[in-house]
Amino acid sequence: MTSRERVKKVLNFEVPDRPAIDLGSTRMTGISAWIYRELKRRLGIKSDEVKVFDLSQMLAEVELQVLDRLRCDFVMLPMQSLKFELKYGDWKDYTFWDGQTFKVPSEFNPRVTEEGTLLIGDTPNWKKETRRMPKGCRYLDRIEYPDIKTVDFDISHIDKKDWVFSKPLSGEFLKTEENNAKILKQSTDKAIVSSGGISGAWGMPAGYGGVIGWGIKMALDPNHAKEYMMAEAEALSKRIKLYLEAVGNYIDIIVVSGTDFGAQKKEQFNPELFKEFFVPAWKIVTDTIHKFDDIKIFIHSCGCVKDLIPYFIDAGVDIYNPVQWSADNMDREELKKEFGNKIVFWGGAVNTQKTFPFGTPDEVRKEVRETINILGRDGGYVVNPVHNIQADVPVENIIALYETAKNYRYG
């Protein structure tokens, strides 16, 4: 069975020969550059080169050689536009605080303090520093946050005349996406995942204070919130239609949101607000996507989101990631029983808060088998950890996860 055949069965709730497996097809299912090089060595891959395509999370681009060794079934369509408005494809060497040299986008030019902290802004020609990586840190963390006065509920308001939605996609961008997708389709049998046509944080309007701020805005100014979301969705629907007219014949999955709606204990705002505001807006976009045959819609949200999942389904979402079953109210058996034939679960193979970084390979194998037994029952499950593989996860545990998945057989 080819990867595409296997993935098609999984995404249509049919039982394949083994689970579909992912590493690195999205910005939420990848691996830290700081552990990726060691993984390559353990897999017997001689090349030491590591490309960092996401500098905020320091994520490595996972190469086809690695995907093949781990029997992964998905591949990322390379992102032309990267974080901090950097461009994909033109690489240079950069040596970080621990002496490791990675390939990074050529326009990455941080300021380095006497203490060794890297400082950058949100654009290549930045004047204001918004991200930092202190010596010893493995991320470019935010150093500025929106000014949310949550005590007195003074949330930002953007007048309708000042609304600015996604920039139009240029013909050059679309042509490059189409060419890259076509090459991938012809050169590999893996299912192709795209994040190129839509903002990864779509659904959380910029300038309103993030998830909490927008939750308050929906509650206190519902007319404005609803009008904004519907207008944004209409604009995004037009953008995504043009995008899929270019790449729709080649891709299998499209990522439409990476917003975290959940926290460890509960959802970040009342799920009824999601039903009222998000579902009708998202439906405008998902209906457009579903006009293109066989393209499935992927969203990511960490944390406790069980009470949101019915609304994800109503909104037209096909795939939910990462299934953080270590959060409250996220029992795997209950999730599979209630939603397992309505939405594909992608992730959650191992507890990444405990077992993956701190357990033994045998403990990892046990947990992976247990998760596949539950979430993979009757199809509809893709193996991946909960979110990106961090730098402190032992390579032995990474290999244990992927070996268990590739050797697992249904029936």
Side-chain angles (χ1 to χ4, degrees):
M1 184 175 289
T2 69
S3 283
R4 286 198 192 107
E5 291 169 344
R6 182 175 299 112
V7 168
K8 187 172 183 178
K9 280 185 173 292
V10 167
L11 299 185
N12 287 289
F13 305 100
E14 299 173 12
V15 180
D17 53 344
R18 64 160 174 80
I21 302 170
D22 172 44
L23 176 62
S25 70
T26 77
R27 293 180 60 249
M28 294 75 71
T29 63
I31 182 169
S32 169
W34 265 282
I35 195 65
Y36 179 67
R37 178 174 281 138
E38 180 60 24
L39 175 63
K40 288 177 65 175
R41 289 171 179 164
R42 296 292 184 91
L43 294 175
I45 297 171
K46 294 181 179 179
S47 168
D48 258 359
E49 182 176 277
V50 176
K51 292 178 181 176
V52 180
F53 77 95
D54 183 325
L55 281 155
S56 63
Q57 302 181 93
M58 288 298 292
L59 295 180
E61 180 176 84
V62 182
E63 300 147 285
L64 283 172
Q65 244 189 317
V66 173
L67 297 178
D68 288 341
R69 296 286 177 92
L70 298 177
R71 301 293 190 272
C72 292
D73 297 291
F74 304 86
V75 64
M76 175 190 284
L77 179 61
M79 298 178 186
Q80 293 187 61
S81 300
L82 306 178
K83 294 288 288 184
F84 317 125
E85 297 186 11
L86 299 171
K87 295 178 182 178
Y88 178 90
D90 187 10
W91 306 95
K92 70 177 182 182
D93 288 338
Y94 193 91
T95 302
F96 288 80
W97 53 266
D98 66 343
Q100 287 206 61
T101 299
F102 302 128
K103 296 284 186 183
V104 300
S106 62
E107 291 182 310
F108 175 65
N109 292 301
R111 181 170 75 86
V112 185
T113 69
E114 291 182 1
E115 296 80 19
T117 296
L118 307 186
L119 295 166
I120 67 166
D122 288 335
T123 66
N125 299 317
W126 52 274
K127 295 180 181 178
K128 191 176 184 180
E129 292 162 350
T130 60
R131 298 271 182 159
R132 66 182 174 189
M133 180 187 288
K135 190 174 183 179
C137 180
R138 291 189 171 95
Y139 313 95
L140 276 163
D141 290 325
R142 298 180 192 273
I143 56 177
E144 292 188 22
Y145 293 91
D147 182 20
I148 312 173
K149 300 175 182 177
T150 54
V151 176
D152 56 7
F153 304 108
D154 183 13
I155 302 302
S156 300
H157 183 86
I158 303 174
D159 290 336
K160 188 173 181 178
K161 63 180 175 60
D162 297 319
W163 289 353
V164 178
F165 302 124
S166 302
K167 296 178 182 178
L169 297 170
S170 69
E172 181 182 359
F173 176 92
L174 292 172
K175 188 66 178 176
T176 301
E177 287 286 291
E178 180 180 13
N179 185 58
N180 290 343
K182 184 177 181 180
I183 290 171
L184 269 184
K185 186 85 169 184
Q186 294 172 343
S187 62
T188 175
D189 75 343
K190 301 185 190 305
I192 300 172
V193 183
S194 170
S195 302
I198 197 164
S199 168
W202 175 59
M204 211 40 61
Y208 284 94
V211 177
I212 301 301
W214 187 246
I216 295 172
K217 191 69 174 177
M218 288 186 290
L220 297 185
D221 194 356
N223 291 335
H224 174 85
K226 189 167 293 184
E227 188 177 10
Y228 184 101
M229 289 205 72
M230 296 301 281
E232 181 190 40
E234 292 286 358
L236 198 50
S237 177
K238 294 175 183 177
R239 173 187 170 103
I240 203 70
K241 181 175 182 291
L242 288 174
Y243 183 75
L244 292 178
E245 285 173 350
V247 305
N249 290 330
Y250 308 110
I251 69 171
D252 301 279
I253 295 148
I254 187 161
V255 179
V256 301
S257 177
T259 297
D260 287 332
F261 295 104
Q264 188 71 23
K265 297 292 184 182
K266 62 192 301 184
E267 293 80 10
Q268 296 210 51
F269 55 74
N270 188 336
E272 290 297 315
L273 291 173
F274 193 98
K275 177 183 179 181
E276 181 179 354
F277 295 91
F278 282 78
V279 170
W282 280 24
K283 276 288 287 179
I284 292 173
V285 177
T286 59
D287 284 350
T288 297
I289 296 171
H290 283 146
K291 289 177 182 176
F292 294 81
D293 292 340
D294 295 328
I295 295 179
K296 302 296 185 181
I297 297 168
F298 174 115
I299 69 162
H300 164 92
S301 175
C302 288
C304 167
V305 294
K306 184 182 179 184
D307 291 340
L308 287 172
I309 292 177
Y311 302 139
F312 293 160
I313 295 167
D314 290 346
V317 172
D318 301 301
I319 301 163
Y320 163 64
N321 162 270
V323 198
Q324 188 190 334
W325 51 269
S326 60
D328 286 9
N329 201 30
M330 290 290 286
D331 181 79
R332 289 168 292 178
E333 284 282 6
E334 291 182 10
L335 291 174
K336 184 66 177 180
K337 182 179 179 180
E338 292 186 40
F339 312 114
N341 63 346
K342 299 174 184 176
I343 195 165
V344 171
F345 292 120
W346 186 313
V350 64
N351 185 331
T352 51
Q353 292 176 313
K354 294 181 180 179
T355 312
F356 209 25
F358 306 121
T360 66
D362 282 344
E363 289 170 332
V364 170
R365 292 185 190 98
K366 180 178 181 294
E367 208 159 90
V368 173
R369 283 192 294 268
E370 183 180 78
T371 300
I372 298 173
N373 287 340
I374 298 170
L375 295 181
R377 192 167 56 236
D378 301 322
Y381 179 60
V382 176
V383 173
N384 184 257
V386 178
H387 221 300
N388 299 313
I389 298 174
Q390 302 301 307
D392 60 351
V393 176
V395 173
E396 292 82 2
N397 286 0
I398 300 172
I399 292 173
L401 185 157
Y402 284 95
E403 283 187 343
T404 302
K406 74 182 183 182
N407 292 328
Y408 189 101
R409 291 295 178 270
Y410 289 116

